Amino acid sequence: QVTLVESGGGLVQAGGSLRLSCAASGLTLRSYAVGWFRQAPGKEREFVAAISIFGTYYSDSVKGRFTISRENAKNTVYLQMTSLKPEDTAVYYCAAADTVPALRDGARYWGQGTQVTVSS
């Protein structure tokens, strides 16, 4: 059974930082494209960042502020978020798929999400 578990969300003031973690069991993350998505209340889920063997990818809204990385020994992918803004408030999900295009088209595996709230 494959599970992805996000952690690290919370409440932070604007300008602050958080690091989200996505820990996997039942699959080896280094063999997959892994991404972070977010969904704010009343909005559609949007792509945030992804990592694959070919590199890292970011949405324009987070480029320069967020960094995605992986720690293979822990089978974990991280999202380091800095210079947080109130508009970053959302539930953040990690997901895994065979490729980055597959990730963005409809990932096979999803976590349950972790809430990030940025106060102004």
Side-chain angles (χ1 to χ4, degrees), residues 9-77:
L11 173 64
V12 64
Q13 289 188 332
S17 301
L18 282 174
R19 188 179 77 159
L20 305 183
S21 300
C22 173
S25 61
L27 82 167
T28 302
L29 287 182
R30 67 174 182 266
S31 301
Y32 289 83
V34 181
W36 288 93
F37 296 76
R38 66 187 182 187
Q39 187 166 21
K43 295 187 176 181
E44 293 188 354
R45 186 168 58 200
E46 65 171 348
F47 169 79
V48 174
I51 186 168
S52 75
I53 60 172
F54 299 107
T56 57
Y57 310 84
Y58 299 94
S59 68
D60 289 342
S61 62
V62 307
K63 197 173 297 181
R65 299 189 298 123
F66 291 10
T67 303
I68 189 170
S69 62
R70 64 167 110 225
E71 186 171 359
N72 293 335
K74 293 187 176 181
N75 205 24
T76 298
V77 169

Side-chain angles (χ1 to χ4, degrees), residues 5 26 35 57 70 77 81 83 91 94 96 106 120:
V5 179
Y57 310 84
R70 64 167 110 225
V77 169
M81 307 186 294
S83 301
V91 178
C94 72
S120 57

